[in-house]
Amino acid sequence: MRRRRSPSGHLPPRTLDTEEVDMVPGACGIPDARDFPRSLAAAGQRLEANHWAPSLADIILGGRLPALGGGAAEEPGSRFVEPRHGVRLPEVHRLSDASAAKANPVEGQLSRVLDLPPENLIKSISAVPISKKEEVADFQLSMDSLLDNSNDHSRPDIQAQATRLAEKLKCDTVVSEISTGRGTVNFKINRELLTKTVLQQVIKDGSEYGLKSELFSGLSQKKIVVEFSSPNVAKKFHVGHLRSTIIGNFIANLKEALGHQVTRINYLGDWGMQFGLLGTGFQLFGYEEKLQSNPLQHLFEVYVQVNKEAADDKSVAKSAHEFFQRLELGDMQALALWQKFRDLSIKEYVRIYKRLGVHFDEYSGESFYREKSQEVLKLLDSKGLLQKTIKGTAVVDLSGNGDPSSICTVMRSDGTSLYATRDLAAAIDRMDKYNFDTMIYVTDKGQKKHFQQVFQMLQIMGYDWAERCQHVPFGVVQGMKTRRGDVTFLEDVLNEIRLRMLQNMASVKTTKELENPEETAERVGLAALIIQDFRGLLLSDYQFSWDRVFQSRGDTGVFLQYTHARLHSLEETFGCGYLNDFNTACLQEPQSVSILQHLLRFDEVLYRSSQDLQPRHIVSYLLILSHLAAVAHKTLHIKDSTPEVAAARLHLFRAVRSVLANGMKLLGITPVCRM
C-alpha cells in the first residue's frame, strides 16, 4: 500500500467529570468545551461619540447572539461586521482599559479584578458541557486559567476570587443569571434569545452553518494537495487502503468546506520491481480472457504464483529483473503490457471508489516520474549529496556522519530508480504544477521514516517549500474478517456490509418501501464502517468488530443514519407549512435547551478538527447530537400538539437534521432519508 507531519496547533485536552459525560444512555465523551477560543470582535455597548466596547454578553457569546437589551444595538453611523455566525452587530472599536472602565462598569470591573484587558478574557470563557443530571449554565469564566500559576504559593483563593467577581457583575437582557462554580463564574443566557438566534442561524446558513464562524474569519484561501488511497496497480484493492481512502477523503472534504482549493491525487503504485515479476508471470501463467473479465483477481493470482516460482527458481527471478529493466529503458512491448495492466486496474478502482463515494482530480503514479527521477539523481550528485556504495547503489547520508539509520538509498546498482527517488520527483513536479501552500500525504504510520527522509532531502536540495509537506499517519485495523475467513480485498468488505445491512433491515417495515434497498444498505453500512474507524485517534490501531459496527443503538454509524432518517420522516409527515415562523417560548423544555446549547458549539468542533485533522471531534459531536435528538423525540411530540408548539418543535428537529447531515457529509457519509 502507498504510504503517507501531523499538523500542529491542536487544542489541549480537558478531563470531564463523570456527571458531565453521562448525558444520555450510550452517549460518548463530550467534546472539550474549554479548548475553543471565542472572539470579542462581534458586538458592543454604545459609548460616547459612537465608540464601542465589548459588553459582558459579548465576551461570553463572542457575537453569537443578536443585540437585545444589555447587548449591542444598531446605532446611526455605526459600522457592522459579520461575526461568529453571521449575526450583524456593531463593530468593536478597541479602547484602553481606562476608557473601558469609565464607559462600561462590567468590563472595567473585570479588567481591574483580573488585571487583563477585556479582549484577553475571551481565552478563559468556555461553553459548559451539557449534563443529564442537572441543568447547567451556558458559559463559564475560569478563574484558574486567568491567574498566573507560576508560583502556587502566591496565588489567591480561586473560589473567593470567583465569588467576589460574581457579586460585582450584573445581569442584563442577554445574561439572565450569574452564579459561581468550582473556581468559575457561570453565565446563563436568556433562553428565548438563545433559541431564536441559534435556530434562525442554522436554517439561514444551511450547509455552511459553523463554517461562517469568525473562528475561520482570518483564514485565507490556500492551494492544498491531498494524496491518499494510492493502491498498487495489478494487485486487488486491499482493505489496508480503506483507512487511507476514507481519511484522505475527510481531510479533502473539510479543506474544501473551509474554502480552500483542493486537489485530490491518487498516486498509484504503478512502477517498480513488482512489475518485472508481474510481466514475467503473465507471460508464464496469464490468460487474456481472465484478464478482461476480472482483471484485478487474475493479476493477483498471477502475482502470487510468480512470487512462489521466483523463490524456488532463480531463472524466473532473473527474468523478472530483466523485464523491469526493459520497462525502465522504454521497451515498447514491455510498456504495452504494463499499460494494459494499469488501464484495467484503474477502471476497477474507479468502480470501487464510486461505491465509497470518493473521487479524485488526478490519477498519478510512480511511472510518471521514472524519467524525472533521473533528473533528481543528477541534482543530488551535482550538490555533492550522492554517495556510491561498494554494492554499486547510490545513497544520501542525511546525518552527514555515516549514521546507518539516516542513510537513504535512492538508486539500485543497475541504475534504476527507487520509491524515495520517485517521491522526490513527484513532490518537485507538483510544486511546479500546483504551486501548493500545503501538500498532505495520508498513509499508514509505517511510512513515517520514509516521509521524514523525503522531506529532509527536499530541504537539503534547496527546496524551502518542503516545510509545507505534511504526513498524516494512521494505525492498523485488526480483525477485519468476513464469514468466509480472512479478508484480503476491500470489495469483499463492501459486499459484506451491504449483505449484513440488508439482513438487518429485512425485518423493518419501511424497508419494503425503499426504492433501492441495496443502495440504502450500502450507505448505512459505509456509515457504520466510517464511524467505527473515526471514533479514536487516527494514529491508533484498533480492533474491528462486525457486531459493534452494526449496532442500531449506541455510538455507531447506523444510529446516526437512523436518526437522520427519522428526523427527515418528521418533516415529510408534517410538511413544511409549520416552518415559516415559530414561537421561541415553546422551546424552553430542558431537552430543547440541551440541543440548542449543543448546536451552538458546532463551529468549535469544526475548528478543532481543522487544526489537528482528526475526524473524531466531529464524530463525537454528531453522536451526542443524535442521542439528544432521540431523547427529545420521545418527549417533544409534534402530533396532537398545538400548531404553535408543533411549528417550534419542527424547527428544532429540522435544525438538528441539517447539522447532522452537514457533519456526516464532511466525514464522507451520504445521509439516508429512509431506512
Side-chain angles (χ1 to χ4, degrees), residues 149-354:
N149 57 8
S150 60
N151 185 347
D152 290 340
H153 298 292
S154 65
R155 294 179 65 194
D157 185 292
I158 299 297
Q159 194 61 46
Q161 284 283 321
T163 302
R164 284 197 294 271
L165 179 58
E167 290 171 351
K168 295 178 182 179
L169 302 176
K170 295 181 180 180
C171 297
D172 55 23
T173 55
V174 175
V175 180
S176 62
E177 185 179 311
I178 301 172
S179 61
T180 59
R182 295 169 57 184
T184 64
V185 179
N186 304 326
F187 305 93
K188 185 177 178 180
I189 307 307
N190 178 297
R191 285 291 173 253
E192 291 192 27
L193 180 60
L194 182 74
T195 303
K196 183 167 184 152
T197 304
V198 173
L199 294 188
Q200 284 184 342
Q201 209 65 56
V202 172
I203 303 306
K204 175 188 173 184
D205 289 350
S207 63
E208 293 185 319
Y209 178 71
L211 297 167
K212 290 185 174 182
S213 167
E214 64 179 12
L215 286 173
F216 304 110
S217 61
L219 197 66
S220 58
Q221 188 185 71
K222 295 182 179 180
K223 296 176 182 177
I224 298 175
V225 171
V226 185
E227 182 197 300
F228 62 104
S229 193
S230 307
N232 294 306
V233 167
K235 295 182 183 178
K236 285 199 76 173
F237 204 149
H238 193 278
V239 291
H241 295 92
L242 176 63
R243 294 207 80 185
S244 176
T245 304
I246 62 177
I247 293 168
N249 188 51
F250 158 71
I251 292 172
N253 289 344
L254 182 60
K255 295 294 186 182
E256 282 182 345
L258 292 173
H260 299 299
Q261 182 181 329
V262 178
T263 301
R264 302 163 183 250
I265 294 181
N266 197 338
Y267 185 69
L268 303 171
D270 63 355
W271 204 250
M273 268 305 298
Q274 72 267 28
F275 284 93
L277 283 164
L278 193 60
T280 297
F282 191 76
Q283 291 171 342
L284 293 173
F285 316 114
Y287 294 93
E288 186 65 29
E289 298 82 4
K290 289 185 178 181
L291 180 65
Q292 294 297 331
S293 63
N294 196 342
L296 294 186
Q297 181 64 40
H298 185 53
L299 289 174
F300 174 73
E301 291 168 352
V302 168
Y303 188 72
V304 170
Q305 192 170 354
V306 74
N307 265 288
K308 291 179 180 178
E309 292 292 330
D312 300 330
D313 189 341
K314 290 184 178 181
S315 65
V316 174
K318 183 180 178 182
S319 295
H321 187 80
E322 290 171 350
F323 189 92
F324 182 57
Q325 279 189 307
R326 286 166 57 199
L327 281 175
E328 288 267 296
L329 294 170
D331 179 84
M332 297 303 294
Q333 187 177 0
L335 282 173
L337 186 59
W338 165 84
Q339 189 69 52
K340 182 188 291 186
F341 295 162
R342 189 181 192 277
D343 292 346
L344 288 169
S345 294
I346 290 177
K347 186 178 179 181
E348 286 295 288
Y349 293 150
V350 170
R351 184 179 59 81
I352 295 172
Y353 288 130
K354 186 176 181 180

Side-chain angles (χ1 to χ4, degrees), residues 367-643:
S367 62
F368 284 52
Y369 303 104
R370 61 182 187 270
E371 293 178 4
K372 291 185 178 182
S373 62
Q374 297 302 315
E375 297 173 17
V376 169
L377 292 172
K378 290 177 183 177
L379 182 57
L380 287 168
D381 194 29
S382 69
K383 291 182 175 290
L385 299 170
L386 209 60
Q387 300 176 17
K388 286 289 185 70
T389 66
I390 298 174
K391 295 181 179 179
T393 60
V395 301
V396 176
D397 179 7
L398 296 170
S399 68
N401 58 18
D403 181 358
S405 65
S406 297
I407 300 292
C408 183
T409 305
V410 293
M411 186 185 75
R412 293 190 181 89
S413 57
D414 61 3
T416 55
S417 61
L418 284 167
Y419 190 47
T421 331
R422 296 189 286 271
D423 262 359
L424 291 169
I428 296 167
D429 180 64
R430 289 172 189 171
M431 175 51 74
D432 291 339
K433 185 176 181 179
Y434 298 111
N435 190 29
F436 58 77
D437 296 292
T438 304
M439 181 159 64
I440 300 169
Y441 298 84
V442 184
T443 70
D444 68 274
K445 59 186 178 182
Q447 302 285 341
K448 182 178 180 180
K449 183 178 179 180
H450 166 80
F451 283 102
Q452 287 175 338
Q453 291 185 332
V454 168
F455 300 160
Q456 194 174 347
M457 278 192 283
L458 287 170
Q459 287 275 15
I460 63 177
M461 289 169 72
Y463 297 113
D464 293 338
W465 49 260
E467 64 185 16
R468 305 182 201 174
C469 299
Q470 302 177 358
H471 176 218
V472 177
F474 55 82
V476 178
V477 184
Q478 301 164 331
M480 189 178 280
K481 299 178 180 180
T482 63
R483 290 169 179 145
R484 295 193 304 270
D486 291 341
V487 169
T488 304
F489 308 125
L490 179 58
E491 195 157 23
D492 292 335
V493 176
L494 297 182
N495 293 337
E496 182 87 2
I497 62 174
R498 183 172 61 191
L499 175 63
R500 291 189 184 226
M501 277 311 307
L502 280 171
Q503 291 173 343
N504 289 358
M505 291 161 56
S507 59
V508 180
K509 183 180 179 181
T510 55
T511 302
K512 299 176 183 178
E513 303 171 9
L514 296 176
E515 291 182 8
N516 192 337
E518 287 200 351
E519 181 181 86
T520 299
E522 185 147 298
R523 287 179 176 177
V524 175
L526 277 172
L529 210 60
I530 289 171
I531 293 302
Q532 172 153 302
D533 194 285
F534 284 177
R535 283 187 62 196
L537 282 166
L538 296 181
L539 198 57
S540 301
D541 300 338
Y542 75 90
Q543 189 71 32
F544 183 85
S545 167
W546 284 109
D547 292 336
R548 188 167 62 246
V549 161
F550 289 112
Q551 288 176 352
S552 59
R553 296 180 179 273
D555 299 335
T556 67
V558 178
F559 180 55
L560 288 188
Q561 289 283 32
Y562 175 71
T563 303
H564 183 273
R566 184 161 61 172
L567 294 176
H568 185 272
S569 177
L570 278 180
E571 291 180 40
E572 277 194 329
T573 302
F574 296 99
C576 294
Y578 282 123
L579 297 177
N580 295 325
D581 198 8
F582 66 99
N583 184 351
T584 57
C586 297
L587 290 176
Q588 302 309 309
E589 305 91 346
Q591 299 91 337
S592 300
V593 173
S594 291
I595 288 175
L596 292 165
Q597 288 175 320
H598 199 58
L599 290 175
L600 193 62
R601 301 185 181 99
F602 189 51
D603 62 337
E604 302 170 340
V605 175
L606 296 179
Y607 179 78
R608 193 174 185 191
S609 281
S610 75
Q611 294 297 294
D612 62 9
L613 301 184
Q614 295 284 334
R616 65 192 180 102
H617 311 305
I618 297 174
V619 169
S620 179
Y621 176 91
L622 296 180
L623 288 169
I624 293 171
L625 183 61
S626 295
H627 284 292
L628 290 172
V631 172
H633 187 266
K634 291 178 181 178
T635 54
L636 306 181
H637 301 136
I638 296 175
K639 186 179 180 181
D640 299 328
S641 295
T642 65

Side-chain angles (χ1 to χ4, degrees), residues 71-89:
E74 185 171 346
E75 294 289 339
S78 65
R79 295 162 55 211
F80 287 81
V81 294
E82 293 290 333
R84 194 65 173 251
H85 291 300
V87 180
R88 285 177 58 82
L89 294 169

